Amino acid sequence: MNTPFDIKGMDLERLVYVRPVDVSDLPEDLQEQAQGLGTVYALHSSDGERLALVKDRSLAFILARQNDLAPVNVH
């Protein structure tokens, strides 16, 4: 049985990284969609591709798990 910190035996293709992103670092069209938020959370695949942006960390983890992915924090 894997614990949240045990990645032995985990399918690494299912791993996604969750990290905070300053809205000011996003393109203008995405900044407008952020509706006054200062920070959003990005989900990235193991090769660095951004998969999604969401308004908070807990939603990022929920989204990952609903899509059969294993989320981990990145600072």
Side-chain angles (χ1 to χ4, degrees):
M1 179 174 164
N2 289 346
T3 68
F5 303 105
D6 178 17
I7 61 170
K8 291 180 184 178
M10 179 187 291
D11 179 2
L12 295 181
E13 290 182 13
R14 290 185 42 237
L15 196 64
V16 291
Y17 300 96
V18 176
R19 70 176 190 90
V21 176
D22 287 334
V23 170
S24 63
D25 293 337
L26 296 172
E28 283 188 36
D29 60 327
L30 293 177
Q31 288 181 29
E32 292 170 8
Q33 294 178 40
Q35 299 177 345
L37 296 172
T39 302
V40 293
Y41 288 79
L43 285 85
H44 290 269
S45 65
S46 59
D47 66 2
E49 178 185 4
R50 184 169 55 202
L51 304 172
L53 289 170
V54 295
K55 68 178 186 173
D56 61 50
R57 182 182 171 276
S58 62
L59 184 56
F61 275 73
I62 291 168
L63 179 63
R65 290 181 182 126
Q66 285 179 341
N67 286 281
D68 238 3
L69 300 170
V72 294
N73 265 331
V74 176
H75 300 283

